[in-house]
Amino acid sequence: MTALRQEPDPPVDDLDRRFRDGDDVALREAYDRYGRAVLHLATSMLANRSDAEDVTQATFVAAWLGRDTFDPAKGSLIGWLLGIGRRKVIDRMRASARETRVVETVRQLPEPAQTQPDPDRVVDRLVIADELARLPDDQRRMLELAFYDDLTHQQIATVTGVPLGTVKSHIRRGMASLKRRWEVDGAAPGPRPAGISGAR
């Protein structure tokens, strides 16, 4: 009697174990094998195909990074992946709801008022700049430090190396010239522009 030939047992599919152990090839195999199932889950719950594709990718990234939490003895790899995919879908739906609320809130805000530069202030600054240009170099330098850099007399003396008394004199004479120009042009009588009060 001729002995029957016994077919070898089919190879054991160890994809789950190899994925758990961090085999890069197993990641590719898992994606090829189960990617469509995860995408189908996502598209069935999300209206946007692009969001579903993002969720599918996020699912496999999360699974790969957290592969040490996968226990093949407790369930299949596909079941574990679908569980992660379901949570990712819920996260995306919540994020979309938050974005929608933010957009609606912004839409309900009143339009910001259009602010135009004050013509008088612009003219005043031009007058000051013009008068500063006419001053002697020393006076102009001291006033610029006081007006634009908001330095005190003592700070100007320290920065320039000019004696404090001389700094005060230059600023006093320069301020007098500016005041005369202010009165002649009739520009903004009253308080001096911000920064000129740096006579300190």
Side-chain angles (χ1 to χ4, degrees):
M1 187 174 192
T2 307
L4 295 174
R5 285 183 65 182
Q6 189 172 9
E7 294 294 332
D9 292 334
V12 176
D13 186 352
D14 60 349
L15 175 60
D16 292 11
R17 179 189 57 76
R18 288 186 292 114
F19 185 95
R20 171 75 167 73
D21 292 343
D23 183 350
D24 293 350
V25 176
L27 172 60
R28 165 53 63 183
E29 291 179 15
Y31 188 82
D32 290 343
R33 188 179 299 183
Y34 304 130
R36 287 184 180 179
V38 176
L39 179 61
H40 176 74
L41 169 71
T43 53
S44 68
M45 299 176 70
L46 297 169
N48 190 309
R49 169 80 181 195
S50 178
D51 285 348
E53 291 173 352
D54 289 345
V55 163
T56 301
Q57 182 176 349
T59 296
F60 278 88
V61 170
W64 184 248
L65 295 177
R67 59 186 178 273
D68 57 337
T69 64
F70 169 57
D71 185 356
K74 293 183 178 179
S76 65
L77 181 58
I78 178 58
W80 186 65
L81 288 170
L82 290 175
I84 295 174
R86 199 170 289 109
R87 290 193 296 274
K88 292 295 181 184
V89 167
I90 293 171
D91 290 345
R92 178 55 61 94
M93 293 171 70
R94 288 173 176 167
S96 296
R98 283 195 300 270
E99 290 171 5
T100 300
R101 287 196 299 271
V102 169
V103 169
E104 288 303 317
T105 299
V106 171
R107 284 178 178 169
Q108 293 172 13
L109 293 175
E111 289 290 328
Q114 296 294 325
T115 57
Q116 298 293 335
D118 181 1
D120 290 337
R121 185 173 180 81
V122 173
V123 170
D124 290 349
R125 293 185 69 85
L126 291 174
V127 170
I128 293 170
D130 183 50
E131 182 58 29
L132 283 174
R134 299 182 185 195
L135 294 176
D137 290 345
D138 291 339
Q139 291 182 25
R140 183 177 68 251
R141 175 65 174 150
M142 303 305 162
L143 279 177
E144 285 175 343
L145 290 172
F147 181 66
Y148 295 113
D149 297 338
D150 198 27
L151 299 183
T152 65
H153 290 165
Q154 184 62 57
Q155 290 170 332
I156 293 172
T158 301
V159 168
T160 61
V162 175
L164 180 58
T166 305
V167 170
K168 290 181 178 180
S169 296
H170 285 321
I171 289 180
R172 188 165 46 251
R173 286 194 293 270
M175 290 290 291
S177 296
L178 284 178
K179 183 179 179 184
R180 284 193 300 272
R181 176 68 180 275
W182 219 251
E183 292 170 349
V184 169
D185 290 354
R192 293 171 184 162
I196 287 295
S197 57
R200 291 162 289 175

